[in-house]
Amino acid sequence: MEIFVQQLINGLTLGSIYGLIAIGYTMVFGIIGMVNFAHGDVFMLSAFISLIFFLILTTWLGISSVVLALLIVLVVAMALTSLWGWAIERIAYRPLRGSFRLAPLISAIGVSIFLSNFVQVAQGARNKPTPPMVQDVIVLFQGASGYNVALSYKQIIIMITTAVLLTIFWYLVQKTSLGRAQRACEQDRKMAALLGINVDRTISLTFVIGAALASVAGTMYLLYYGVVSFNDGFVPGVKAFTAAVLGGIGSLPGAVLGGLIIGLIETFWSAYFSIEYKDVAAFSILAIVLIFMPSGILGRPEVEKV
């Protein structure tokens, strides 16, 4: 029982990181109908930005408060990664918006390869570790076998951050003028433009918001694992996209729910079965769910426009 509870905590933590990345996928897809395959590498880039600024703050500037350093790192990473997201949309995606449907997809793959190789050249191919940021844990209870079920402070930070950001961005999409513009662009971009909505600005802001969420996920990933590599964008990116599809792409709560499910499947499969097949288990569950629920768990079925 104690092992089950511990793996449940670990799965929720990993799923929270996937959920943060998945929100960025689902926001972009919901508006322009394009899968931004460079989003995973934006996440990886943000993790490197967080690593560099954390080392600058703690080693060079001598800031001893980890909480203060993390807050500064989070703000700086969100700002710089958002700038990257804006530049990628302006340079790689906007010129191809009216082209055939595969053109933006090919451009997204090209941006992904560029970011991965850029970070490899700039930072090297080796894993980049960081000193432990948060080490304290809370022992919840001790099992009969002497196994301690623990909840670390970094796990609490990750799960609370995901819940807070999901609430904020759900409110942003549902209750603000930007959210109304996003939903209008999702339904019909031409009609939204005729009604006075600045479609280009709305799409750019969506990319900026998605990149900011990816930067939070990158910081949380670095906080949790303490190491990052230039090729850490592909696999988490694919799994986050899988989470977005599983939960119902276009739904923010669905993206987080899908991330939590993927994280729990991976964690429990690794604990009770062969760790080599954890990815097979996750994608098998995705296939089974989509057979019976093609729109995902919380997704809305597409209505044919006539």
Side-chain angles (χ1 to χ4, degrees), residues 64-297:
S64 58
S65 173
V66 175
V67 175
L68 177 60
L70 275 176
L71 287 175
I72 296 174
V73 164
L74 194 59
V75 172
V76 173
M78 289 179 71
L80 293 179
T81 310
S82 297
L83 184 61
W84 270 95
W86 176 83
I88 289 170
E89 192 274 332
R90 288 297 300 269
I91 296 171
Y93 298 150
R94 184 177 295 186
L96 300 174
R97 196 178 299 160
S99 181
F100 64 102
R101 297 197 62 172
L102 285 179
L105 177 63
I106 295 170
S107 180
I109 295 173
V111 171
S112 173
I113 295 172
F114 167 77
L115 289 176
S116 177
N117 284 272
F118 169 73
V119 173
Q120 182 183 11
V121 171
Q123 297 296 322
R126 295 183 178 180
N127 292 340
K128 301 295 182 181
T130 182
M133 298 182 185
V134 180
Q135 295 180 288
D136 295 335
V137 299
I138 301 171
V139 178
L140 300 179
F141 63 90
Q142 187 178 54
S145 61
Y147 183 89
N148 290 331
V149 176
L151 177 64
S152 65
Y153 282 102
K154 59 186 178 184
Q155 290 175 320
I156 296 173
I157 292 171
I158 292 170
M159 287 187 278
I160 291 177
T161 300
T162 301
V164 170
L165 287 177
L166 173 62
T167 304
I168 290 173
F169 284 100
W170 178 87
Y171 180 85
L172 177 71
V173 171
Q174 297 295 327
K175 304 294 183 181
T176 65
S177 58
L178 174 60
R180 287 190 291 272
Q182 288 176 324
R183 285 181 279 131
C185 292
E186 176 185 358
Q187 293 179 4
D188 193 325
R189 290 204 298 272
K190 290 183 179 179
M191 183 57 69
L194 289 174
L195 293 174
I197 294 174
N198 190 327
V199 175
D200 288 338
R201 185 180 65 182
T202 302
I203 293 175
S204 292
L205 286 174
T206 302
F207 271 85
V208 166
I209 292 171
L213 285 166
S215 73
V216 176
T219 305
M220 297 299 104
Y221 181 89
L222 186 66
L223 172 68
Y224 191 52
Y225 290 106
V227 64
V228 64
S229 172
F230 77 96
N231 57 4
D232 278 348
F234 177 74
V235 174
V238 170
K239 291 180 180 178
F241 174 66
T242 303
V245 175
L246 179 63
I249 196 158
S251 169
L252 299 187
V256 176
L257 176 61
L260 294 176
I261 292 173
I262 295 293
L264 288 170
I265 292 171
E266 283 191 17
T267 304
F268 280 116
W269 191 274
S270 301
Y272 293 106
F273 302 101
S274 174
I275 192 173
E276 288 84 2
Y277 293 96
K278 62 183 177 67
D279 294 338
V280 176
F283 287 108
S284 298
I285 296 295
L286 170 67
I288 293 170
V289 169
L290 292 182
I291 288 172
F292 297 100
M293 305 174 69
S295 300
I297 298 173

Side-chain angles (χ1 to χ4, degrees), residues 50-62 73 129-131:
S50 299
L51 171 64
I52 291 169
F53 277 93
F54 182 78
L55 293 177
I56 289 174
L57 292 172
T58 56
T59 304
W60 291 4
L61 300 181
V73 164
T130 182

